[in-house]
Amino acid sequence: MQLGFLVDLHLCMGCKGCEIACKVENEVPLSTWRLRVKYVDVGMFPETKRTFTPLRCNHCANAPCERICPVSALHYIENGIVNIDKERCIGCAGCVMACPYGAIYIDPETQTADKCTYCAHRVASSMMPACVVACPVEANIFGDLDDKTSNISKYIQAHQGDVQVRKPEKGTLPHHYYVGGGNVHLNPLASRRDEGYSLFNKLTSKMPVGGDH
Amino acid sequence: MVHETVAATNAVVTLDVGLPGVVWGWIITMNMWAKSIGTGVIFMLFYLLKKYPVEAAAYRFKVALISVIAIHVFLLFTVIDLHQMFRFWHIFFHPHFTSAITVGAWMATLFVGLLFLLLYASFIKKDTILFDKVLAWTVVLAIPVTLYTAGLMAQSTARELWQMPTEAAQMIFAATLSGSAVMILIGNRLSYEAKRDLGIILAFSALGAFILYMSELVFGPMKAEEVAAVLEFIKGNGEYATMFWVGQILAFVGPFILVVLALMNRSTSILNLASISALVGLWISKHVWLVIPQLLNMS
């Protein structure tokens, strides 16, 4: 079994329902996100368009975070999920340095690394991840990539040529796919960030020993 | 290049989370800097004992002590940077050997053991034969201990600026630069010829490191878009441009010129000045190179 995710960006309307569901389900602390929806505005008024991109851990087949973790706190489980054992994590932040998707953060409450686990605890109970359940337009498609009859496999087959992953050049082999994604959606260098125009720019959180670097 | 399309599309992020900030900061800089000294002085002692055995003999205990102190500073800063420092023992009881952190921690521990053996041989047993035998193994182990941080940086897939084998070469140059600088500063009893040799090592280390930094600065952006974006932080009016050039001048350009002047004038005081400049500048250079890739948004 190899679990994977696919987001159809044609369907996503940026409601952030997935983001909130994830926060609630996993008790994600303030100032941190396992899943977030990025808004990017494209064009000049009146020819403008807003794009929405849900971003979460890619559960890579060749995960740099798993490789760099000195204590196997980040590890694969048999269904392909890259899981995290927060009790074992020493908070070295090697995984934060290694993840090319910025998907891993240091939990300010536990002072350990954390990230999306595809709701491994729910999956173990044969439930869908919280974000999938919350999505009102079924833009989030989750399932077994090894099963040709699963919804995700059929979706990938039906949209061949329009299925992409983030940063394929990194060789991480993500198990998280996007349909209908463009450069603006998937490449952080394809948009600019004007300081002061984004929410949550001035966040403060509990700092580890050593204080603010 | 994607940035060419940004102006055309006017794509601007209008709602997202803030950047996570610098996760590996000055504590990790201290870690790398102290480790360079700790292994560098061992390399230099080995060289001096081979080339100038009589006058270098007095430095066996002193260098072992300096190395122990520097390596413990390195270990201290390694541990305090952990967000869960009291779980450090997990590295030894739940090791994951694909990680450069694990390999480095094990090798550094073994290295500390050998250093204490050097202290024992020089201070308690006063056995130079034992010391020199252990020193040979210590030098061998000092090489991977010096290099493992480069391996860690190479494993940081998200930070394209940190490339192998460039970082490996930089780590070796940092060790020989700081090792020779410290030996010059403590080498009151060394002859001019020995100090001259140390000065030449310092100058060539500085030159090598400077060439690598400049090569990356000029040619790095031609191969990788993320590298180009990161290097903008040290170019022109970049946030770290001033700090970068201060570091380059203090660590590499200044010491190289000062060593040349010192050799022309047979001046040990100029060598001392070059050494202090190199040690200060090395910290700054390492810090800039550590921080700038972390300023780039990964998503």
Side-chain angles (χ1 to χ4, degrees), chain B:
Chain B
M1 298 288 278
V2 167
H3 76 265
E4 294 294 338
T5 65
V6 174
T9 59
N10 192 35
V12 55
V13 176
T14 49
L15 184 63
D16 195 15
V17 300
L19 273 168
V22 174
V23 180
W24 282 356
W26 66 268
I27 294 177
I28 298 295
T29 310
M30 279 300 297
N31 159 314
M32 292 191 288
W33 183 78
K35 181 164 65 75
S36 298
I37 294 172
T39 58
V41 290
I42 291 293
F43 293 140
M44 294 306 120
L45 178 65
F46 184 73
Y47 170 77
L48 290 174
L49 283 172
K50 294 290 174 199
K51 188 94 186 280
Y52 306 98
V54 178
E55 56 193 277
Y59 288 91
R60 283 190 174 93
F61 171 70
K62 201 182 269 187
V63 167
L65 184 64
I66 288 171
S67 183
V68 164
I69 293 168
I71 289 296
H72 278 82
V73 170
F74 148 69
L75 290 173
L76 173 71
F77 280 89
T78 303
V79 172
I80 65 169
D81 191 66
L82 299 179
H83 290 72
Q84 285 286 353
M85 68 166 86
F86 296 113
R87 294 184 188 170
F88 183 73
W89 58 273
H90 286 193
I91 288 184
F92 300 101
F93 289 89
H94 302 291
H96 187 218
F97 285 106
T98 63
S99 170
I101 299 172
T102 309
V103 175
W106 281 65
M107 287 192 307
T109 305
L110 191 57
F111 188 67
V112 168
L114 290 176
L115 289 178
F116 275 109
L117 202 54
L118 289 178
L119 284 181
Y120 168 75
S122 57
F123 188 67
I124 295 173
K125 214 171 176 211
K126 300 191 188 310
D127 183 343
T128 54
I129 296 170
L130 173 65
F131 185 97
D132 291 351
K133 277 183 184 168
V134 176
L135 181 66
W137 289 106
T138 312
V139 169
V140 170
L141 192 58
I143 296 169
V145 170
T146 303
L147 292 177
Y148 97 85
T149 315
L152 174 58
M153 293 170 96
Q155 280 193 326
S156 299
T157 311
R159 321 292 157 177
E160 286 196 356
L161 184 68
W162 304 337
Q163 289 288 338
M164 270 291 207
T166 316
E167 289 302 327
Q170 288 286 24
M171 292 294 163
I172 290 289
F173 283 139
T176 51
L177 181 94
S178 57
S180 56
V182 169
M183 286 304 297
I184 288 170
L185 290 173
I186 66 166
N188 296 331
R189 287 192 235 167
L190 291 175
S191 63
Y192 171 75
E193 284 69 27
K195 281 201 164 188
R196 177 203 60 202
D197 286 9
L198 291 169
I200 291 170
I201 292 170
L202 194 157
F204 276 103
S205 303
L207 182 65
F210 184 69
I211 288 170
L212 285 181
Y213 276 120
M214 291 304 108
S215 302
E216 294 197 72
L217 187 67
V218 175
F219 298 105
M222 298 176 189
K223 286 274 177 75
E225 197 169 37
E226 283 185 10
V227 172
V230 167
L231 290 174
E232 287 301 313
F233 292 111
I234 55 171
K235 284 183 175 176
N237 294 319
E239 195 178 335
Y240 280 82
T242 305
M243 197 173 181
F244 173 75
W245 287 110
V246 167
Q248 295 297 305
I249 290 166
L250 285 179
F252 312 126
V253 180
F256 183 83
I257 293 169
L258 287 171
V259 168
V260 172
L261 287 175
L263 297 185
M264 287 168 66
N265 296 291
R266 292 179 69 88
S267 167
T268 53
S269 52
I270 297 179
L271 274 181
N272 288 344
L273 186 63
S275 301
I276 293 168
S277 177
L279 288 171
V280 173
L282 182 66
W283 194 98
I284 298 170
S285 300
K286 287 275 179 199
H287 186 65
V288 172
W289 213 249
L290 176 73
V291 165
I292 53 173
Q294 299 177 59
L295 303 176
L296 195 67
N297 201 315
M298 290 288 111
S299 56

Side-chain angles (χ1 to χ4, degrees), chain A residues 15 20 27 30 65 85 100 165 177 182 185 191:
Chain A
C15 72
I20 303 303
E27 298 180 343
L30 287 172
C65 59
D85 180 349
V165 295
Y177 304 91
H185 294 89
S191 56

Side-chain angles (χ1 to χ4, degrees), chain A residues 110-185:
Chain A
T110 62
Q111 293 295 334
T112 56
D114 202 5
K115 68 173 195 67
C116 161
T117 60
Y118 280 173
C119 281
H121 59 291
R122 288 175 61 93
V123 171
S125 302
S126 302
M127 292 190 286
M128 281 286 176
C131 55
V132 176
V133 177
C135 183
V137 292
E138 297 186 359
N140 286 301
I141 297 154
F142 179 73
D144 183 6
L145 292 163
D146 287 345
D147 177 2
K148 289 189 174 77
T149 63
S150 66
N151 282 345
I152 189 168
S153 294
K154 287 180 187 168
Y155 217 93
I156 290 171
Q157 287 165 29
H159 293 83
Q160 285 183 48
D162 195 21
V163 180
Q164 295 180 70
V165 295
R166 292 159 69 194
K167 302 184 181 179
E169 73 279 5
K170 297 281 187 183
T172 55
L173 311 177
H175 287 132
H176 190 292
Y177 304 91
Y178 291 92
V179 167
N183 219 359
V184 165
H185 294 89

